[in-house]
Amino acid sequence: MPELPEVETIRQILDPQIQGRTITKVTVHRQEVLAHPAADEFCRRVTGQTFAGMERRGKFLIARLTDGSRILLHLRMTGCLLLAPAEVPQEKHTHVIFHLENGRELRFSDTRRFGRFWLLGKEESDTYSGIEQLGPDPFDPCFSAQYLRTAFAKRKKKIKECLLDQRMIAGIGNIYSDEILFAAGICPSRPANTLTDDEWERLTAAIPERLSYFIEKNRITPEEYLETKGQDYRNTPFLQVYGQEGKPCPVCKEPLCKRIIGGRSSVYCPKCQKNP
């Protein structure tokens, strides 16, 4: 699943390209992808509208239109958003196409078909997408060690599971939770209520630092993004622990271990991330 750095990469690529572009038509191949409102109304309301820009909230993309309405998109497991010239062949699982006045097409493809769009009017409350239930973004000014302590310090849940709780922190998934905990020197199976003040401070510093690092490593040009069909995320060579089980720790050379926590795989160093 694309996590915060990948979604931010998509935003950075597409935002300058769609700003000021008008939607002339919408083609829908799978109507269930348009979760709200119904497909016919969705298409009617966005046709003729102009993109004002694109934002990100956690793992959501938000395309704002000049009439004040907004299109929300969650990519889920395999969703991909691609801006392509009309003559470029569509991907096999392309479900929605926004045709733009400059001859380009904003295409959404999704192999597993879990991704969803929501269209919300200027004054319409969002009771549909779940974005209102998200915790703060890791780059939000309110994100702090005090916030994390208040949210988690009394919980017996493992700290890895806490980082994946989108209601508390928006945007972190399985990949970057491993990377963050390694950078902070905290074992992923530690109950949250056992962390010390120093560990909360280290964790608070590691979260935005690691996410910023991988946003930078994922950087790609619009031409490269189109050529690789939006699938060339460049973080893999820079991952220190995720997917590296059995390999030597990049710090102490101890073999990295893997265990299942909350139904998700976690890789960590038993020496650098000791569980006291």
Side-chain angles (χ1 to χ4, degrees):
M1 175 190 290
E3 299 182 24
L4 188 156
E6 288 74 43
V7 178
E8 178 61 20
T9 296
I10 296 169
R11 187 203 67 79
Q12 291 179 359
I13 291 293
L14 296 181
D15 177 42
Q17 296 188 81
I18 67 170
Q19 282 191 38
R21 298 302 178 186
T22 299
I23 302 167
T24 59
K25 184 176 71 170
V26 183
T27 299
V28 182
H29 296 306
R30 297 196 71 91
Q31 295 193 1
E32 68 270 22
V33 172
L34 304 179
H36 172 80
D40 288 347
E41 183 180 354
F42 187 108
C43 296
R44 179 184 61 79
R45 286 170 54 182
V46 302
T47 299
Q49 294 295 328
T50 301
F51 285 113
M54 182 174 283
E55 302 169 3
R56 179 195 55 76
R57 175 80 168 89
K59 300 177 188 178
F60 283 83
L61 287 169
I62 306 167
R64 297 198 176 271
L65 304 177
T66 51
D67 71 344
S69 58
R70 56 208 187 276
I71 301 171
L72 279 66
L73 167 62
H74 200 299
L75 300 169
R76 301 285 168 82
M77 297 294 292
T78 57
C80 177
L81 197 59
L82 192 67
L83 185 68
E87 62 270 17
V88 172
Q90 297 176 20
E91 294 304 293
K92 182 178 179 181
H93 299 282
T94 297
H95 305 314
V96 180
I97 304 169
F98 297 87
H99 303 264
L100 307 182
E101 101 288 343
N102 64 347
R104 295 205 153 207
E105 298 175 349
L106 187 62
R107 302 170 179 172
F108 175 69
S109 60
D110 188 0
T111 304
R112 300 188 67 177
R113 303 199 298 268
F114 292 150
R116 291 292 183 268
F117 286 87
W118 299 265
L119 172 65
L120 299 167
K122 183 177 181 180
E123 305 297 334
E124 185 177 2
S125 298
D126 183 2
T127 59
Y128 309 97
S129 72
I131 197 172
E132 298 297 330
Q133 280 72 55
L134 293 179
D137 195 270
F139 301 111
D140 194 295
C142 76
F143 187 77
S144 65
Q146 181 57 47
Y147 170 77
L148 289 182
R149 278 193 295 265
T150 301
F152 298 129
K154 294 183 180 181
R155 295 194 180 189
K156 296 179 181 179
K157 183 179 286 188
K158 294 175 175 59
I159 189 62
K160 161 89 174 200
E161 296 178 271
C162 291
L163 293 183
L164 298 179
D165 188 343
Q166 301 300 300
R167 299 167 299 176
M168 297 292 109
I169 310 172
I172 300 174
N174 205 40
I175 296 173
Y176 299 112
S177 57
D178 278 1
E179 296 297 310
I180 288 164
L181 289 167
F182 177 73
I186 298 170
C187 181
S189 62
R190 283 275 300 281
N193 63 359
T194 67
L195 267 62
T196 65
D197 287 347
D198 178 64
E199 287 170 326
W200 286 119
E201 293 287 348
R202 297 204 314 260
L203 184 59
T204 303
I207 290 172
E209 187 279 325
R210 287 289 83 190
L211 295 174
S212 295
Y213 174 83
F214 284 105
I215 289 171
E216 181 60 33
K217 293 306 179 185
N218 274 340
R219 196 173 295 277
I220 189 172
T221 68
E223 293 75 21
E224 290 169 329
Y225 184 80
L226 177 59
E227 182 180 353
T228 59
K229 302 175 182 178
Q231 300 296 327
D232 184 21
Y233 301 120
R234 303 185 170 190
N235 60 12
T236 303
F238 304 99
L239 294 171
Q240 294 187 292
V241 289
Y242 178 82
Q244 309 297 313
E245 63 271 17
K247 295 182 180 179
C249 169
V251 174
C252 72
K253 308 309 177 186
E254 187 83 8
L256 297 173
C257 297
K258 176 181 177 180
R259 66 184 303 176
I260 303 300
I261 299 174
R264 310 292 295 276
S265 65
S266 296
V267 181
Y268 65 101
C269 174
K271 184 175 180 181
C272 296
Q273 296 168 268
K274 287 182 180 178
N275 191 352

